[in-house]
Structure formats: structure tokens, C-alpha cells
Amino acid sequence: MNSATNVNIAQRKLFLEQKLRESGEESRLEEYLRKKLVECGWKDDLKRHCKELIRKKGLEKVTVDELVDELVIKGRATVPTTIKEDLLARIKLYFDSEGY
């Protein structure tokens, strides 16, 4: 991909993100995602992982930045595919219904 294509993609992404925010759809999608992640046990699993990291490294030796780095990696990697697909479908449906 050339740099002009990358710029165009970045501009479109910003435009779509802005539309989601302005319409309130972003907040609705975030709330839906939170609910689904709690229902499937993802949040509890991540909390358990955090406690394990603290136990392993020791409360006095682990930093917040280390925990955040570890949890972001684990969190992103463990979101169920069905939830990702469902969220993407909801985003596409929203933009289709809005004529984008």
C-alpha cells in the first residue's frame, strides 16, 4: 500500500469514528461489549490473571505499567471470536442503516 492509500484509510477511519461518537452509537456499542464480556466470563478471567501476575511478581515489585501491558495483551488475545464478529456486524449494520 502506498502512503496516499494509508492516508485515505486513516481519514475514513477518523470520519467513521466521529460518526459513531456523534450519534451515541459508540457508547451503546461499548456498553453492549462490556455486557457480553462479563456474561462470557472474560472480565473474571482477566481479573484472575491480574491477581496471578501480582502473586508471581510480588505486590511490592510489580508496577501498574507492567500490569497494564500484560493485561492489554492478554485481554485483546482472549476476547471470544464470536463477540468480535457480533460487534463488527453491529457496526456494519449501523453504517448500512445510516447510508455510509
Side-chain angles (χ1 to χ4, degrees), residues 29 32 36 80-91:
L29 290 168
Y32 175 78
K36 288 299 190 181
T81 302
T82 55
I83 291 177
K84 291 178 189 178
E85 290 170 348
D86 184 32
L87 193 60
L88 182 58
R90 286 172 177 270
I91 292 168

Side-chain angles (χ1 to χ4, degrees), residues 49-61:
H49 183 66
C50 182
K51 288 179 179 181
E52 286 174 27
L53 289 171
I54 293 170
R55 266 193 292 271
K56 226 187 250 182
K57 293 185 179 196
L59 183 59
E60 303 303 320
K61 294 180 182 175

Side-chain angles (χ1 to χ4, degrees), residues 42 45-46 49 69-79:
W42 177 89
D45 290 344
L46 209 55
H49 183 66
D69 290 344
E70 284 275 338
L71 294 174
V72 165
I73 292 167
K74 172 113 176 141
R76 287 183 178 158
T78 58
V79 172

